Amino acid sequence: MVSDNRILVIGGTGVSGVHLVNGLLERGKNVTIFHSGTHKPSKDFAPWYYEGRVKIVYGNAFKKKGIEDALGDLGYFDVVCSMYGNLRSISKFFSTGNRLGRFISIGGAPLYDMFGTANHEESVGGWSVTNLITESYRIQTDDGTLNGEPNSLTF
């Protein structure tokens, strides 16, 4: 049985991530955040960031090498909550070895076109993912393009 005490939040300093981390800490969880370091959350909303109550890991969640370099030596997580980055590369990284118990993706943008048409089911990194979303969204790939075109979105 999987426990839920050691949790990695990818994108934990954004609008949704701050609230998720607050809730996890209130429940006594051991939280690690993986983010780019390009911005810091407000001290009013995320005092834990400045108090050393979470482990912070910096890296590029959009590149396979950035994910491997940042997370490669961190060991096992009971839960990984991904709200940022290249979902395909993140899920493939965690599917190798004994790295996690549960994988949760929060936010729909990375899933919109990733698995094809709506209601299409595909196995990614060993997990079966059902896409129930009917909207269309361009995704960023490991080579820094969006659907083969130079990146035009700001993250």
Side-chain angles (χ1 to χ4, degrees), residues 108-152:
L111 289 174
Y112 286 157
D113 259 352
M114 180 182 242
F115 304 107
T117 60
N119 299 316
H120 176 75
E121 189 169 307
E122 179 177 334
S123 178
V124 175
W127 297 290
S128 178
V129 178
T130 302
N131 177 18
L132 301 176
I133 299 168
T134 59
E135 296 176 41
S136 177
Y137 187 85
R138 297 174 2 166
I139 61 169
Q140 182 172 351
T141 60
D142 280 340
D143 66 2
T145 64
L146 291 169
N147 293 343
E149 300 174 15
N151 185 356
S152 60

Side-chain angles (χ1 to χ4, degrees), residues 3-155:
S3 72
D4 61 356
N5 290 319
R6 190 157 187 254
I7 301 173
L8 173 67
V9 178
I10 302 173
T13 61
V15 174
S16 300
V18 167
H19 296 288
L20 175 63
V21 173
N22 284 337
L24 294 169
L25 291 174
E26 287 171 7
R27 290 163 179 80
K29 306 304 178 187
N30 177 355
V31 179
T32 299
I33 294 174
F34 173 39
H35 78 112
S36 66
T38 58
H39 70 277
K40 294 181 180 178
S42 164
K43 288 182 183 180
D44 293 335
F45 293 107
W48 42 262
Y49 187 90
Y50 303 92
E51 298 167 351
R53 295 174 49 207
V54 298
K55 179 175 183 162
I56 300 171
V57 178
Y58 299 100
N60 186 342
F62 286 95
K63 303 282 185 184
K64 178 182 174 187
K65 182 163 178 22
I67 295 163
E68 292 169 352
D69 290 348
L71 304 177
D73 295 330
L74 295 182
Y76 180 87
F77 288 95
D78 298 301
V79 179
V80 173
C81 294
S82 179
M83 297 181 284
Y84 181 77
N86 183 311
L87 187 58
R88 185 176 298 274
S89 295
I90 292 167
S91 65
K92 284 182 180 179
F93 171 81
F94 280 104
S95 71
T96 60
N98 183 23
R99 297 182 194 240
L100 82 144
R102 295 185 189 119
F103 185 87
I104 300 168
S105 174
I106 299 173
L111 289 174
Y112 286 157
D113 259 352
M114 180 182 242
F115 304 107
T117 60
N119 299 316
H120 176 75
E121 189 169 307
E122 179 177 334
S123 178
V124 175
W127 297 290
S128 178
V129 178
T130 302
N131 177 18
L132 301 176
I133 299 168
T134 59
E135 296 176 41
S136 177
Y137 187 85
R138 297 174 2 166
I139 61 169
Q140 182 172 351
T141 60
D142 280 340
D143 66 2
T145 64
L146 291 169
N147 293 343
E149 300 174 15
N151 185 356
S152 60
L153 295 180
T154 302
F155 293 95

